[in-house]
């Protein structure tokens, strides 16, 4: 038996351990206070009424490195964050004009990769083609029709979707406070997500953190009424492993994009793809979207074949070496991403959440920064797609209905991936479905 001094010491150690255990298991929003660090208003916030910078202080928040060519690009966003490379724990909340309406369901707009709230939802036209501020986006379309509209910008273009999902929870908490509805148990919002933004929304609404043993993140609180997925990879995507030419274009032109190949031939030498490799740590959110589209019934087509009896094409997707590249393969990337598409689709949306799915069928996507570069080389001709996401993936209702969630509608537009966020017919459709 220990003496009394020893018993006291053990008791103190147990108390300290208990305190640490509580701290580490606390939901991240316990470390987030719905009060902005600073606010931008006036001309600097245009066309929004104001932009708020927020921070979640949880010590276990991710820290994703930035690709040197993919720090925050848009001047307004850099100013609001106060940095070109803001930490993952920061996010921006945007308030549209008329945000403080007391009736109706508030709407939160969630952007995708290589993007922010202003560029995708307020000034969606490419800023490299004329005065991009002259063409309004979905934000203005909804706000002018009487909806209370908010937007969110994540700090990292390709960040971990679990942690970006935590910022969805944080943003909703802040919107509650702004609208003085903190004690309203019936409070819900609608969400419109674009492209990769679907993953962050699903990560929160489907409580994906529980599966990945990140219980310090916030479980779903039942505060989302309806989600409109615009060009979302509900069934995943496999572009980095489907086309050798996609990888070759990135390597030759030194573009900042995730590659399936870990090394590629450059002249006589095999050169590592480095930070462009999808498993390099620079693309966690992209890796979480990887899912073999053959599982959706979309085979590899002519554009996936290579001239060396397809040895390079097989090595890229299955893993292995060829004369022209090395690859760990699609399945290795899917595992490294936690098989997130599979996990989300097996869980489905909560039963009380309604969904609308929008996809595109224009199969050539032109990059904004390099406007003459088709992405990928030519069109994906094997199945309908928007140049990035196959239509079967964007409209994959089976991935949302495991718990009985209601699908209000699915809709295909003859637009490419970017066009889905720039077209007034799409805006009208979204407004109609949010008011249905």
């Amino acid at each position: 038996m220990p003496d009394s001094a020893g018993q006291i010491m053990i008791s103190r150690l147990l108390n300290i351990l208990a305190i640490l255990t509580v701290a580490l298991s606390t939901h991240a929003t316990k470390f987030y206070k719905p009060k902005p660090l600073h606010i931008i208003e006036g001309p600097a916030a245009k066309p929004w009424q104001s932009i708020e910078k927020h921070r979640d202080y949880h010590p276990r928040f991710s820290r994703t490195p930035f690709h040197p060519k993919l720090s925050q690009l848009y001047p307004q966003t850099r100013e609001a964050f106060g940095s070109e490379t803001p930490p993952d724990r920061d996010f921006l909340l945007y308030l549209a004009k008329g945000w403080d309406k007391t009736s109706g369901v508030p709407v939160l707009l969630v952007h995708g990769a290589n993007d922010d709230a202003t560029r995708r939802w307020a000034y969606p036209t490419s800023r490299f083609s004329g005065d991009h501020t002259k063409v309004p986006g979905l934000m203005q379309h909804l706000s002018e029709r009487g909806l209370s509209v908010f937007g969110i910008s994540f700090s990292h273009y390709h960040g971990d979707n679990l942690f970006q999902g935590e910022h969805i929870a944080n943003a909703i908490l802040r919107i509650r406070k702004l609208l003085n509805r903190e004690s309203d148990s019936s409070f819900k919002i609608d969400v419109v997500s674009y492209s990769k933004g679907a993953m962050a929304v699903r990560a929160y609404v489907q409580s994906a953190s529980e599966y990945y043993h990140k219980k310090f993140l916030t479980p779903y609180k039942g505060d989302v009424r309806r989600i409109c997925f615009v060009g979302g990879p509900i069934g995943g995507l496999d572009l980095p492993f489907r086309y050798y030419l996609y990888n070759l274009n990135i390597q030759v032109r030194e573009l900042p994009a995730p590659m399936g190949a870990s090394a590629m031939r450059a002249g006589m030498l095999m050169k590592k793809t480095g930070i462009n490799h999808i498993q390099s740590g620079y693309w966690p959110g992209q890796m979480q979207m990887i899912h073999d589209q053959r599982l959706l019934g979309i085979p590899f087509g002519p554009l996936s074949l290579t001239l060396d009896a397809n040895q390079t094409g097989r090595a890229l997707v299955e893993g292995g070496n060829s004369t022209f590249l090395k690859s760990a393969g699609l399945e290795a990337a899917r595992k490294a991403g936690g098989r997130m598409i599979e996990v989300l689709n097996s869980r489905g949306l909560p039963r009380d959440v309604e969904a609308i799915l929008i996809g595109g069928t224009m199969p050539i996507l032109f990059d904004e920064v390099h406007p003459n570069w088709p992405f990928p080389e030519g069109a994906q001709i094997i199945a309908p797609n928007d140049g990035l996401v196959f239509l079967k993936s964007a409209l994959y209702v089976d991935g949302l209905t495991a718990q009985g969630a209601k699908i209000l509608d699915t809709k295909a537009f003859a637009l490419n991936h970017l066009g889905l966020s720039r077209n007034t017919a799409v805006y009208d459709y979204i407004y109609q479905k949010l008011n249905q």
Side-chain angles (χ1 to χ4, degrees), residues 344-412:
L344 292 173
N345 289 350
S346 66
R347 295 166 72 96
L349 293 174
R351 186 179 183 85
D352 63 342
V353 176
E354 299 173 336
I356 305 107
L357 293 89
I358 298 173
T361 59
M362 175 61 71
I364 299 180
L365 178 66
F366 292 93
D367 179 70
E368 291 186 335
V369 181
H370 308 274
N372 295 318
W373 179 53
F375 179 77
E377 188 79 8
Q380 300 189 70
I381 60 177
I382 194 63
N385 65 89
D386 65 8
L388 181 62
V389 180
F390 283 111
L391 189 63
K392 278 190 175 181
S393 178
L395 305 185
Y396 188 58
V397 297
D398 289 348
L400 303 176
T401 55
Q403 297 184 51
K406 183 179 180 181
I407 306 299
L408 293 182
D409 198 15
T410 64
K411 179 79 170 178

Side-chain angles (χ1 to χ4, degrees), residues 25 29 51 58 80 94 101 116 120 161 169 205 209-210 212 246 254 317 323-324 336 348 357 378 394 405:
S25 62
T29 47
I51 304 173
H58 199 287
Y94 299 68
K101 295 178 178 66
D116 58 63
R120 188 49 46 210
N161 294 300
V205 174
S209 58
E210 295 177 354
Y212 293 102
Y246 162 88
E254 299 183 347
V317 66
T323 303
F324 299 101
L357 293 89

Side-chain angles (χ1 to χ4, degrees), residues 28-36 54-57 173-174:
T29 47
K30 297 291 185 182
F31 288 82
Y32 167 71
K33 304 301 180 185
K35 182 178 180 180
H54 291 263
R55 176 167 292 172
D56 190 317
Y57 287 93
L173 185 64
R174 173 59 178 166

Side-chain angles (χ1 to χ4, degrees), residues 88-371:
D88 291 4
R89 62 185 180 176
D90 289 357
F91 73 95
L92 303 178
L93 184 68
Y94 299 68
L95 287 62
K97 294 178 181 178
W99 64 266
D100 53 350
K101 295 178 178 66
T102 57
S103 62
V105 180
V107 180
L108 178 64
L109 306 177
V110 183
H111 66 80
N114 291 345
D115 229 338
D116 58 63
T118 298
R119 290 184 65 236
R120 188 49 46 210
W121 301 120
Y123 294 145
T125 302
S126 173
R127 67 189 181 101
F128 298 97
S129 56
D131 187 354
H132 71 290
T133 66
K134 290 183 178 180
V135 182
L138 180 65
M139 179 272 282
Q140 295 94 321
H141 195 88
L142 298 180
S143 179
E144 289 168 1
R145 285 158 179 77
L147 299 185
S148 175
V149 181
F150 300 85
I152 187 172
S153 280
F154 302 118
S155 59
H156 197 289
Y157 288 153
H158 301 277
D160 189 312
N161 294 300
L162 292 171
F163 290 95
Q164 291 186 348
E166 183 65 15
H167 284 323
I168 299 292
N170 291 338
I172 295 174
L173 185 64
R174 173 59 178 166
I175 293 169
R176 270 183 179 268
K177 184 176 180 63
L178 285 166
L179 297 176
N180 295 315
R181 298 183 65 179
E182 294 167 287
S183 60
D184 183 354
S185 60
S186 67
F187 177 80
K188 290 179 183 286
I189 70 165
D190 290 341
V191 179
V192 180
S193 69
Y194 173 71
S195 193
K196 178 184 177 293
M199 298 293 291
V201 176
R202 296 184 72 188
Y204 167 58
V205 174
Q206 297 182 226
S207 297
S209 58
E210 295 177 354
Y211 178 88
Y212 293 102
H213 308 294
K214 289 181 169 60
K215 294 184 178 180
F216 59 90
L217 296 177
T218 304
Y220 177 54
K221 297 179 180 179
D223 45 16
V224 174
R225 180 189 72 142
R226 190 170 292 170
I227 308 171
C228 181
F229 296 104
V230 181
I234 308 302
L237 52 80
D238 59 11
L239 184 63
F241 298 94
R242 183 167 281 265
Y243 304 107
Y244 165 68
L245 288 177
Y246 162 88
N247 287 268
L248 184 63
N249 264 315
I250 294 171
Q251 182 78 346
V252 170
R253 299 170 188 258
E254 299 183 347
L255 301 171
M259 300 173 64
S262 58
M264 296 192 72
R265 181 163 296 283
M268 298 297 293
L269 302 176
M270 192 71 76
K271 181 180 179 182
K272 291 183 179 181
T273 54
I275 61 176
N276 274 358
H277 186 224
I278 198 167
Q279 293 190 54
S280 65
Y282 286 75
W283 315 95
Q286 292 290 333
M287 201 161 54
Q288 290 164 334
M289 293 189 285
I290 293 297
H291 193 70
D292 194 335
Q293 298 299 276
R294 292 175 294 183
L295 299 175
L296 301 185
I298 304 171
F300 281 13
L303 291 175
S304 299
L305 300 176
T306 53
L307 297 177
D308 56 350
N310 204 38
Q311 291 181 9
T312 294
R314 284 196 300 272
L316 179 61
V317 66
E318 304 296 343
N321 302 340
S322 78
T323 303
F324 299 101
L325 61 72
K326 296 180 180 180
S327 171
L330 185 153
E331 185 59 22
R334 192 171 77 97
K335 287 181 180 178
R339 297 189 178 94
M340 184 171 281
I341 293 294
E342 180 182 335
V343 169
L344 292 173
N345 289 350
S346 66
R347 295 166 72 96
L349 293 174
R351 186 179 183 85
D352 63 342
V353 176
E354 299 173 336
I356 305 107
L357 293 89
I358 298 173
T361 59
M362 175 61 71
I364 299 180
L365 178 66
F366 292 93
D367 179 70
E368 291 186 335
V369 181
H370 308 274

